[in-house]
Amino acid sequence: MAYIVAEPCVACKYTDCVAVCPVDCFYEGENMLVISPDECIDCGACEPECPVTAIYEEDELPEKWTEYVELNERLAGEWPNITEQKEALPTADEFKEVESKRDKLSMNGA
């Protein structure tokens, strides 16, 4: 079972998780990352690295974010692969603690 990037990543896009991923399964959107479920090896290296607690094992994903299972799968097929850590978005500190950011999600690739 793959890991899923959920709503806390929106408008923050910290990439600490990318730096530790052994299989480069992260994909980059304009203001969020997603994980390709076909490439994720379920190692769990990324989960503790996320400063906003946005990464969950699929079976531990809070119910309020179940739509992110499909979003990770679909958007990983549309967005470019990211393999190196980058600076977080300029809005990261502002949105780090914000709940309900789904309306801020851009479907555009990086």
Side-chain angles (χ1 to χ4, degrees), residues 1 3-4 8-9 13 21-22 32 39-41 44 50 58 66 69-71 74-75 84-85 87 97 99-100 103:
M1 196 158 290
Y3 278 77
I4 303 296
C9 186
K13 198 169 83 170
C21 181
M32 180 183 174
E39 297 171 18
C40 178
I41 60 171
C50 181
E58 187 173 341
T66 55
V69 174
E70 185 274 330
L71 283 172
R74 181 168 52 87
L75 296 173
E84 295 181 3
Q85 187 170 0
E87 290 293 319
E97 304 292 327
E99 291 281 327
S100 301
D103 64 321

Side-chain angles (χ1 to χ4, degrees), residues 9-101:
C9 186
V10 175
C12 292
K13 198 169 83 170
Y14 291 97
T15 59
D16 306 54
C17 51
V18 173
V20 298
C21 181
V23 294
D24 297 334
C25 66
F26 282 89
Y27 289 79
E28 181 181 19
E30 186 177 329
N31 69 349
M32 180 183 174
L33 300 174
V34 295
I35 294 173
S36 169
D38 296 330
E39 297 171 18
C40 178
I41 60 171
D42 200 27
C43 71
C46 58
E47 183 182 21
E49 298 302 316
C50 181
V52 293
T53 315
I55 302 173
Y56 294 85
E57 283 187 272
E58 187 173 341
D59 59 353
E60 293 182 8
L61 183 69
E63 191 171 322
K64 64 184 175 181
W65 294 325
T66 55
E67 73 173 303
Y68 285 88
V69 174
E70 185 274 330
L71 283 172
N72 273 245
E73 183 174 11
R74 181 168 52 87
L75 296 173
E78 298 174 10
W79 290 352
N81 187 243
I82 178 173
T83 59
E84 295 181 3
Q85 187 170 0
K86 298 179 179 181
E87 290 293 319
L89 292 177
T91 57
D93 287 339
E94 176 186 348
F95 284 98
K96 190 174 187 176
E97 304 292 327
V98 173
E99 291 281 327
S100 301
K101 301 186 283 186

